[in-house]
Amino acid sequence: MEKIQVVTKGVLNCVSNAEIEALRPEGVSALSKLVDGTGAGNDFLGWVKLPTETPAALLNDINATAAQLRELCDVVVAIGIGGSYLGAKAVIEALGNSFAAYKNDGIKVLFAGQNIGEDYTAELQEYLADKKFGIIVISKSGTTTEPAIAFRILKEQLEKQVGHEEAKRRIVAITDEKRGALRSLANTEGYKTFVIADNVGGRFSVLSPVGLLPIAVAGYDIKELMKGAADMQKATLDGQCDAALTYALTRNALYRAGKKIEILVNYNPKLHFFAEWWKQLYGESEGKENKGIFPAAVDNTTDLHSMGQWIQEGERSIFETVISVAKSDRELRIPFDEANLDGLNYIAGKRIDEVNKMAELGTRIAHIDGGVPNLLIELPALSEYYLGSLIYFFEAACGISGYILDVNPFNQPGVEAYKRNMFALLEKPGYEKETEAIRAKLS
Ligand code: PA5
């Protein structure tokens, strides 16, 4: 079986191997903190062994629930935000047909509650008006405003379309075992539920029912996804594979050398949302105490025609991490054209992927020459197995990296600030003092 590889040669224009290696003791100690639970935020380490410790019975239950939703519905709306949204979206987009976004016997999975866009929600309602739809509502806390609004609206619509009893069969809730408004509602209504374990934080929850149920509904093999993750887990934790450690060491060496922004680069548009998931994982885990690499992302070659100029010649505060997918699934060759008016006959007969790979290599060389250190992550294929491995790789590296940075990678105190102000402005009961304070600020 081929493996995910991390290639660091392209960063040596900025940091030396010795500088990267100097961080190894900190990295090794960070990894052991993840394993033995002695670091900050150690009550949120449930994700570390999730791939190997998830019972087969739970995966079977998720698959059976997905099959039932597929039988009852043509479309399922997964409602959630942040960690309760991005993992499923990332995997479904990465594995899906670009124009159908689902395959096998899966059905369309749409997303809601990841924004408060009135037009988005109204258009979704309109789209669902003549569809057989179901809902997976996901919220660990069970109290997050965005998904709560979307669920209230879509639940009402579903009940109107199919009646209260049938709606109950088509709604699945994923939330805390005991606490929160969603748990109370699910218990009252008798919805099928799955639990998000207390010790698994939102952005580390894709390999729990949070990500697995929508992914299974869309028709993908969650057992293969978990197998890929489990193999990466075992290899990372027992030291056989140091890919996650190497990535964590290298990005921290670059950060200490003044590279404050990491751009995750893909050359496969299906990875757009994988980068969104990665941005949340690293942004929420590391951006605290006025520290942390800013995680950004580009989709190439699309963004070479927009951000490419900045990356090539802008401020030298960035480094790139390229996810390079070795093979594409399909084979499509550029046709020969007698008239050759577009001048493309020099690449006639070549696969599109060959051209893409040359664009990737050419860009990497140009960026390295332009002073942008370049880390390379080689992914053998876009499959359930390798996506599972890649997810675990990034999660483990994130935990290690956060500890090297000396922050608690598993909390997110900063996300409360906007909520407090929003509640104050909306005059939520219990926020009277905040309402007064924010009005004074605005006057
Ligand atoms: O990573 C996190 O913890 C957050 O991004 C949450 O996932 C997000 O805020 C959604 O929270 P909840 O699942 O409680 O609705």
Side-chain angles (χ1 to χ4, degrees):
M1 179 74 83
E2 291 167 275
K3 292 201 175 101
I4 292 175
Q5 307 276 359
V6 177
V7 182
T8 58
K9 216 170 112 199
V11 307
L12 301 178
N13 56 347
C14 176
V15 288
S16 66
N17 276 325
E19 282 168 303
I20 298 170
E21 281 309 306
L23 287 174
R24 189 167 287 270
E26 283 178 62
V28 170
S29 140
L31 177 59
S32 46
K33 282 183 196 161
L34 293 180
V35 178
D36 57 29
T38 50
N42 56 4
D43 42 348
F44 282 98
L45 292 176
W47 61 271
V48 175
K49 294 191 178 157
L50 207 50
T52 53
E53 291 184 354
T54 298
L58 176 59
L59 297 181
N60 291 339
D61 190 10
I62 292 171
N63 275 332
T65 306
Q68 201 192 349
L69 282 172
R70 289 202 298 261
E71 209 176 292
L72 296 172
C73 315
D74 296 329
V75 181
V76 163
V77 185
I79 297 178
I81 195 166
S84 293
Y85 153 64
L86 283 160
K89 177 77 176 167
V91 173
I92 291 171
E93 292 285 320
L95 295 174
N97 177 306
S98 308
F99 300 95
Y102 58 96
K103 66 179 178 196
N104 307 330
D105 59 347
I107 57 171
K108 190 178 279 211
V109 175
L110 300 175
F111 292 87
Q114 81 282 35
N115 60 54
I116 334 180
E118 189 162 349
D119 292 341
Y120 182 95
T121 313
E123 284 161 14
L124 178 61
Q125 275 206 300
E126 224 169 82
Y127 174 80
L128 295 171
D130 59 355
K131 305 280 184 309
K132 275 164 65 185
F133 78 97
I135 299 173
I136 303 171
V137 54
I138 311 167
S139 177
K140 184 177 183 202
S141 61
T143 54
T144 307
T145 308
E146 291 91 335
I149 293 173
F151 185 50
R152 181 183 278 215
I153 288 171
L154 294 183
K155 174 179 175 286
E156 183 191 68
Q157 177 172 355
L158 184 60
E159 287 173 351
K160 277 192 188 144
Q161 278 177 220
V162 299
H164 192 217
E165 282 313 302
E166 177 59 18
K168 288 203 291 197
R169 299 175 65 212
R170 296 196 198 174
I171 295 175
V172 179
I174 307 178
T175 188
D176 186 87
E177 190 179 4
K178 298 194 183 98
R179 291 179 298 264
L182 181 56
R183 169 52 62 187
S184 315
L185 179 65
N187 287 348
T188 308
E189 295 282 6
Y191 298 147
K192 166 77 182 167
T193 62
F194 288 97
V195 170
I196 312 175
D198 272 350
N199 61 359
V200 177
R203 60 189 172 276
F204 288 86
S205 68
V206 53
L207 300 173
S208 78
V210 170
L212 297 177
L213 182 61
I215 293 167
V217 169
Y220 303 110
D221 187 340
I222 56 169
K223 291 190 176 174
E224 267 301 291
L225 189 81
M226 291 300 266
K227 186 173 181 325
D231 286 351
M232 183 55 90
Q233 177 201 309
K234 286 183 249 167
T236 303
L237 301 190
D238 70 14
Q240 260 179 48
C241 166
D242 74 347
L245 186 57
T246 301
Y247 174 55
L249 298 181
T250 310
R251 65 197 296 282
N252 276 281
L254 290 166
Y255 181 60
R256 289 182 192 188
K259 304 297 176 188
K260 308 288 186 195
I261 300 165
E262 176 175 8
I263 305 177
L264 192 74
V265 185
N266 72 71
Y267 286 81
N268 185 325
K270 293 184 183 201
L271 286 172
H272 175 84
F273 277 96
F274 196 87
E276 294 300 308
W277 169 83
W278 170 89
K279 273 157 64 178
Q280 187 211 2
L281 182 65
Y282 281 79
E284 264 190 357
S285 299
E286 295 197 317
K288 44 200 75 156
E289 299 174 27
N290 298 332
K291 296 193 274 194
I293 297 168
F294 182 83
V298 292
D299 301 324
N300 285 350
T301 62
T302 310
D303 285 330
L304 289 173
H305 297 259
S306 65
M307 295 304 290
Q309 172 60 37
W310 199 102
I311 295 169
Q312 189 68 47
E313 294 182 350
E315 195 183 334
R316 302 297 72 184
S317 49
I318 54 173
F319 68 96
E320 288 184 313
T321 298
V322 176
I323 300 180
S324 179
V325 185
K327 303 190 265 274
S328 56
D329 259 7
R330 312 292 189 95
E331 196 175 318
L332 186 57
R333 290 182 189 273
I334 297 158
F336 177 80
D337 183 286
E338 198 66 51
N340 196 28
L341 294 177
D342 53 14
L344 281 184
N345 274 353
Y346 78 105
I347 47 172
K350 282 194 192 297
R351 288 182 62 180
I352 291 192
D353 198 49
E354 274 179 86
V355 179
N356 201 22
K357 289 287 185 296
M358 291 308 108
E360 179 183 321
L361 182 59
T363 307
R364 288 189 59 235
I365 295 168
H367 288 179
I368 292 168
D369 288 346
V372 180
N374 198 289
L375 258 160
L376 180 65
I377 296 171
E378 291 175 332
L379 188 69
L382 267 191
S383 64
E384 282 93 336
Y385 180 87
Y386 285 116
L387 278 174
S389 294
L390 191 65
I391 286 168
Y392 193 87
F393 159 83
F394 275 127
E395 288 181 346
C398 184
I400 298 168
S401 186
Y403 282 151
I404 294 176
L405 189 66
D406 198 21
V407 295
N408 174 353
F410 306 113
N411 64 4
Q412 55 284 329
V415 301
E416 295 311 313
Y418 99 90
K419 291 183 193 168
R420 217 171 19 250
N421 285 347
M422 178 177 74
F423 293 148
L425 291 164
L426 290 169
E427 299 179 28
K428 183 173 175 170
Y431 283 78
E432 291 76 11
K433 266 198 195 143
E434 285 84 354
T435 302
E436 222 174 280
I438 205 159
R439 280 205 186 123
K441 266 190 205 160
L442 290 172
S443 65

